[in-house]
Amino acid sequence: MDDQNKNLILAIALSLLVLIGWSFIAPQSTPLVDPEAGAITANDGDLMPPATSLVPATEVVAETIEQSVEEQRIPIETDRVVGSISTRGGRIDSLSLKDYTVDLDPDSDLVQVLRPEGEEHAYYALYGWGPAGGMDPKLVPNRGTIWSLSEGKILSPETPITLAWDNGQGLLFKQKVSIDKDFLFSIEQSVTNNTTTSQRLYPYGMIAQHGTPDQIGFFILHEGAIRMSDGHLTKNKYKKMPDMDYSEQERARVDKQDVVESGWIGFTGKEWMTTLIPEQGQPFTSVAKYIESQDVYTAEARFPVMEVSPGGTILNDSRLFAGAKEWSLIKHYERDEAVERFIDSIDWGVFSMITKPMFWLLYTIYGFIGNMGWSIIVLTLIIKAMLFPLAYKSYVSMAKMKKLQPEMEIIKKNAGDDKQKLQQEMMALYKKEKANPASGCLPILLQIPIFFSLYKVIFVTILLRHAPWFGWVNDLSEPDPSSILNLFGLLPYATPEAGSIFAIISLGILPIILGISMWLQQKLNPAPTEPTQAMVMAWMPWVFMFMLGNFAAGLVIYWIANNMITFTQQYLIMRSQGVKPDVFGNIISGLKRKKSDAK
């Protein structure tokens, strides 16, 4: 088999191996209050309270149920978000992003990050207090408690709001909520003790996700719980959370980590994220939980037990991020708001040391060009230029082996079935001509992590969402909208629905160009003489064309640009080494072989 074809097959096989192996080597790593429970039992913990037992929803005190009719909504209005806070439980449970719509239709709904209970995939943040030191659970607010609005009318960057609840037994609870101009809420929890005895209790923050959310489900993307614990990043995918250790005490699957200095915890997908962010330096217990009986996923920050003396007030400050995973904004919160390693909430992958600077470069290029499609092509050009010394070494080695091909064929013919003689004479030839068959493979192996990182960058960035390129490509985060089934829009037929059997063969213009670019790359070398190898090589471009046909257009553009640059580099380097690739001749010979095989 031709050595260049061997190298090509090896590179493709190794690339696929990296992609498949990713899911196995990537690191995988609740609330104190059950989202369906109305109260919690007493807690006698000290610094870090143990998990409480949960009271079933049927045991919620009657007074709380009766109060539910008094629920009010406090509007949230900024330049970037719109939503509301419910006075029932003080939940931040309705939030939509003004800069992002569900689809490209001008009348499309805004992307809704948080949803109130009762809606499909309810998703909300809740802050409260748990009892400690033998305190009666009825003395602290629960998820059904109706708070009153004591200050403010609308939550905006200029106007915070304050919720209050008097338990009627001498304890006054308050929550002051503010928001910045983007996606960061600040929550100040306080308790004032108007009794004659000290009281022990502890604050917590919780995010609850009812049911499994819609997911992309692509193995290179993390979707689920994510947290930073004193500099250590861990992840729990939604599909893995039901496999966490079961806690009889909490009646749920639980994964807990004690955080001493700094951290955060929440849920993330490709484009949106909701995260609890305790004040840096504040110890807390980071908890990921799955409540099987109600199909609820939760993330919680449980804070140490606090004691409030008679006439005194205790405070706890924390923050909540709920919005789009915009690189520049998340970097701002990490740098200027002291959220440690918040940039790692973006899924950089195992090659993060390569992926992060590569994303910065893409972001910088996009800032100059203003078009994400062209930015991807320019980034690919820059990366290929940086790797040119490796590519040059690889292609020179290939060209040298190509020159030795006639002599190698003579040696194979003379050696016959004597494998030892064949190996000895081959090694002697390599030594004489100073050729190394492996030297062409090593540069390819070194490039695989870099191009996988580039692929990852393009896949995870929110910059592709609803970003046009030109012509018919109006959303780089979605597959090419054109289809060969309606002659790319010339026929008055709609393209097949995503997920249908016809969608597989509904190839757009970009996937077809991708297949052709791979096919042309192959034609730099004659087809292998061995029939099985020749068949594999012949089918490979078209298999990849169908495999990548439903990938995001931005990713397909990257593969096309990479293939065409690689073709050009290899063609020019081979010619510089005295090897003249006969692309047209190889195409003709391939067609003749197919014709003869058909006979």
Side-chain angles (χ1 to χ4, degrees), residues 7 65 89 505 507 549:
N7 288 331
I65 297 176
I505 60 174
L507 292 174

PDB file of all heavy atoms in Angstrom, residues 7 65 89 505 507 549:
ATOM      1  N   ASN A   7      -0.329   6.781   5.645  1.00  0.00           N
ATOM      2  CA  ASN A   7      -0.299   7.888   6.591  1.00  0.00           C
ATOM      3  C   ASN A   7      -1.650   8.568   6.697  1.00  0.00           C
ATOM      4  O   ASN A   7      -2.089   8.969   7.785  1.00  0.00           O
ATOM      5  CB  ASN A   7       0.760   8.919   6.175  1.00  0.00           C
ATOM      6  CG  ASN A   7       2.166   8.403   6.403  1.00  0.00           C
ATOM      7  OD1 ASN A   7       2.385   7.589   7.292  1.00  0.00           O
ATOM      8  ND2 ASN A   7       3.109   8.876   5.605  1.00  0.00           N
ATOM      9  N   ILE A  65     -49.792  26.395  52.563  1.00  0.00           N
ATOM     10  CA  ILE A  65     -50.616  26.092  51.395  1.00  0.00           C
ATOM     11  C   ILE A  65     -51.671  27.161  51.187  1.00  0.00           C
ATOM     12  O   ILE A  65     -51.934  27.613  50.071  1.00  0.00           O
ATOM     13  CB  ILE A  65     -51.278  24.706  51.559  1.00  0.00           C
ATOM     14  CG1 ILE A  65     -50.192  23.621  51.629  1.00  0.00           C
ATOM     15  CG2 ILE A  65     -52.245  24.419  50.419  1.00  0.00           C
ATOM     16  CD1 ILE A  65     -50.729  22.239  51.884  1.00  0.00           C
ATOM     17  N   GLY A  89     -41.687  31.622  48.149  1.00  0.00           N
ATOM     18  CA  GLY A  89     -40.345  31.078  48.318  1.00  0.00           C
ATOM     19  C   GLY A  89     -39.250  32.057  47.949  1.00  0.00           C
ATOM     20  O   GLY A  89     -38.072  31.739  48.080  1.00  0.00           O
ATOM     21  N   ILE A 505     -29.845  11.860   4.059  1.00  0.00           N
ATOM     22  CA  ILE A 505     -29.414  12.012   2.664  1.00  0.00           C
ATOM     23  C   ILE A 505     -29.683  13.412   2.125  1.00  0.00           C
ATOM     24  O   ILE A 505     -29.404  13.695   0.968  1.00  0.00           O
ATOM     25  CB  ILE A 505     -30.113  10.963   1.764  1.00  0.00           C
ATOM     26  CG1 ILE A 505     -31.640  11.125   1.821  1.00  0.00           C
ATOM     27  CG2 ILE A 505     -29.706   9.563   2.167  1.00  0.00           C
ATOM     28  CD1 ILE A 505     -32.370  10.226   0.849  1.00  0.00           C
ATOM     29  N   LEU A 507     -28.301  16.261   1.818  1.00  0.00           N
ATOM     30  CA  LEU A 507     -27.028  16.961   1.913  1.00  0.00           C
ATOM     31  C   LEU A 507     -27.123  18.377   1.366  1.00  0.00           C
ATOM     32  O   LEU A 507     -27.727  18.620   0.320  1.00  0.00           O
ATOM     33  CB  LEU A 507     -25.951  16.195   1.140  1.00  0.00           C
ATOM     34  CG  LEU A 507     -25.549  14.833   1.719  1.00  0.00           C
ATOM     35  CD1 LEU A 507     -24.603  14.132   0.772  1.00  0.00           C
ATOM     36  CD2 LEU A 507     -24.925  14.985   3.091  1.00  0.00           C
ATOM     37  N   GLY A 549     -22.559  15.733   7.495  1.00  0.00           N
ATOM     38  CA  GLY A 549     -23.579  16.496   6.776  1.00  0.00           C
ATOM     39  C   GLY A 549     -24.521  17.266   7.661  1.00  0.00           C
ATOM     40  O   GLY A 549     -25.007  18.335   7.288  1.00  0.00           O
TER      41      GLY A 549
END
